[in-house]
Amino acid sequence: MGPARKVLHVGLISGTSMDGIDAALVYFGERSCEVLASQTCPYNDNLRQHLLTASRNPKQCTVDDIGMLDRRVGEAFRDAAVELLDKSGIRSAQIAAIGSLGQTLRHQPRATHPFTLQIGDPNVIAAGTGITTVADFRRRDLAVGGEGAPLAPAFHYWLWGDSAEGRAVLNIGGFANLTVLAKKPDNVHGFDTGPGNSLMDAWCQRHLGQPFDSDGAWAASGTVCEPLLDQLLADPYFRQPPPKSTGFEYFNTAWLDAHLAIAGAVSAADVQATLCELTARTIADAVSAHAGGTMEVMVCGGGAHNRTLLDRIAKHLPGVRLSSTEAAGVGPDWVEAVLCAWLAARCIDGLPGNLPSVTGADKPAVLGCIYPS
C-alpha cells in the first residue's frame, strides 16, 4: 500500500475592500499548514460597484439586489476555486472541502436583533466545482451570544499558539484585528481595533481615483493634523473593552465627513496622513492596553505592505518587533483565505471554530453549514 494521500482544502474570502477573492489551496498537518497554491481573482468593475453601493447604502438595497448579488458573488467564488485548481493541476476529487466566508454586506452584532450577512451562494460553489462547500461561519457564533467576529484568532492560536508567550498577530485589512496569543485557548484574546485600510482607501479613491495608497506614499507626503486626529481618537469605540468587532457600518466616509465638517479646512494629503496615523495609533494603543508584555507582533493583510503605516506603528511600540507572518510559514496576503479552509476542516470534523474569550460567545461552537457536492 502506498503512502496516504494528503487531505487538501480550499479557502475563499473577499474582504471589506470588495476588490476580489483571495483563494488558497492548503494542506493541514496536526498543528501546521502548507499553502500549496494561492491567487487573487479580482471582481469585475460592474460587480464591485454593485457590491459597494449595496453595502454602503443599505437603505436603498432591495431584496432583489441581495438575491442578485448573492448569485453573482457565488458564481465569482466558484470561478475562483476552479481557476485555482486548474492552475495548480489539482483535481476536484482531491479536495475534501471548500471553505467560503463569502462577501460581507452587513455586520450588526450589537443591534437589538443581532445579525450578520455574508453573500455568495454556497450551492452555486458546490454545484459548479463538484466539491463539498462549507459556508455561513459567523451566524452560529452570534446565535450563542458572540459577536461573530473576529474568527481569525482561533486559527492563529491553533497554528501559532504553543510557545507563543509575548506574541500577537495583527491583521490589517479594511479593518484591523489583533490576536493576543497564549499557551491556553481560554487566555487568548482578540478583537477589532478599528479602521485598518478602509478609510485610507476610500479617501485615496475619492481624491486620486486610485483604490489604495501604494506603500503609504501619499500619506507620507502629508502632515498629521493633530486636532483632527484627537477628534477621531475620541470616538467611544476605541475605549470600548473587548470583545468587540466593527466594520464599514460604523467607520465609513460618512463618519469621516462628519468629523471633517467640524475640523475645518485640512488638505487632502494631510487627511490621508492623519488617517494613517489613526490606524497606527489605535493599533498601538490596543497592543499597549490589552497585550502587555508583547515582544513580537506578526503582521498580515494588505496593510503588511504599507511601509508608512508599519513605520508609524513601530514608532508607537518601542521595543516591540514587527514581523511578517511570512516568516512563520504563511504569506501575509493568504492568512485569511487559509483561515476559511481551516474553518471548513473544523466544521466537517465536528470541532469548534470559535474562541469564546475572543467573540464573547457563551460556549465553543462548530461554525458553518455543509453543502454537499
Side-chain angles (χ1 to χ4, degrees), residues 18 22 38-39 57-58 111 131 137 224 231 283 288 314-315 325 327 351 370:
M18 299 183 170
D22 291 334
S38 57
Q39 66 178 32
N57 302 279
I131 301 170
F137 294 116
V224 174
Q231 191 179 314
I283 287 170
S288 299
K315 174 185 174 184
T325 55
L351 298 172
I370 300 172

Side-chain angles (χ1 to χ4, degrees), residues 20-55:
I21 303 154
D22 291 334
L25 173 64
V26 191
Y27 165 70
F28 292 111
E30 187 175 345
R31 287 288 292 271
S32 64
C33 71
E34 181 183 359
V35 180
L36 303 176
S38 57
Q39 66 178 32
T40 296
C41 299
Y43 284 138
N44 65 55
D45 291 342
N46 178 271
L47 177 54
R48 181 171 190 254
Q49 191 54 54
H50 271 89
L51 286 167
L52 290 170
T53 300
S55 60

Side-chain angles (χ1 to χ4, degrees), residues 289-308:
H290 302 287
T294 294
M295 302 300 294
E296 179 184 14
V297 175
M298 301 159 55
V299 186
C300 58
H305 304 292
N306 186 327
R307 189 71 255 166
T308 301

Side-chain angles (χ1 to χ4, degrees), residues 246-266:
T246 190
F248 50 74
E249 299 83 3
Y250 188 90
F251 292 109
N252 50 39
T253 53
W255 179 85
L256 175 60
D257 288 341
H259 284 289
L260 290 174
I262 297 170
V266 183

